[in-house]
């Protein structure tokens, strides 16, 4: 709530949240164009975002346009490892691409999202009668 400051182990105030500067803001792109600045001269390539807690790395958010299928140690599936990740409808694509990137979430907790995923997929067709069943 902000009433109690979040402090580091050494007692310094920490602002919790996601920080970053993303390359795909039209206003920043327009500013670069207006100032005659080549975007490749001032922006780095996209990189993964890492999320930490006091326990360490919790999750990594991939750059979806550069995501690769992971090696799972399953011979049949490993033939597809390191290939570009297929474009899948949201949120299915995000779930599959990020599943191996959550470091500390037990398998049982990950499996608990299946119901939400199925409900979300059920509503993808924008059928109002279906969506009203979830209200």
């Amino acid at each position: 709530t902000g009433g109690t400051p979040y402090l580091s182990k050494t007692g310094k105030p920490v602002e919790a949240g996601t920080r970053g500067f993303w390359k795909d803001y039209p206003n920043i792109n327009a500013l670069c164009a207006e100032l005659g600045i080549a975007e490749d001269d001032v922006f780095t390539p996209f990189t993964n975002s890492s999320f930490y807690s006091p326990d360490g790395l919790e999750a990594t958010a991939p750059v979806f346009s550069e995501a690769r299928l992971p090696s799972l140690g399953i011979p049949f599936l490993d033939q597809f490892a390191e290939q570009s990740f297929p474009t899948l409808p949201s949120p299915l694509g995000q779930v599959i691409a990020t599943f191996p990137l959550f470091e500390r979430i037990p398998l049982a907790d990950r499996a608990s999202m299946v119901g939400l995923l199925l409900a979300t997929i059920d509503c993808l067709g924008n059928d109002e009668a279906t969506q009203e069943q979830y209200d």
Side-chain angles (χ1 to χ4, degrees), residues 60-127:
T60 302
V63 177
F64 287 109
S65 64
E66 298 174 8
R68 301 281 180 251
L69 294 170
S71 174
L72 300 173
I74 302 169
F76 170 72
L77 294 176
D78 279 351
Q79 66 182 328
F80 303 108
E82 296 304 315
Q83 291 185 18
S84 294
F85 198 82
T87 302
L88 298 170
S90 181
L92 185 60
Q94 289 92 331
V95 169
I96 293 173
T98 60
F99 192 83
L101 303 176
F102 285 87
E103 303 291 328
R104 300 181 192 285
I105 300 177
L107 189 56
D109 290 344
R110 294 180 196 204
S112 72
M113 74 175 174
V114 170
L116 177 61
L117 181 60
L118 292 174
T120 303
I121 292 170
D122 197 21
C123 291
L124 284 177
N126 288 328
D127 177 58

Side-chain angles (χ1 to χ4, degrees), residues 31-84:
L31 178 63
C32 287
E34 182 180 323
L35 297 174
I37 299 172
E39 292 179 31
D40 288 340
D41 291 343
V42 294
F43 296 118
T44 61
F46 290 111
T47 59
N48 291 347
S49 298
S50 298
F51 298 92
Y52 290 86
S53 76
D55 295 325
L57 180 64
E58 295 290 343
T60 302
V63 177
F64 287 109
S65 64
E66 298 174 8
R68 301 281 180 251
L69 294 170
S71 174
L72 300 173
I74 302 169
F76 170 72
L77 294 176
D78 279 351
Q79 66 182 328
F80 303 108
E82 296 304 315
Q83 291 185 18
S84 294

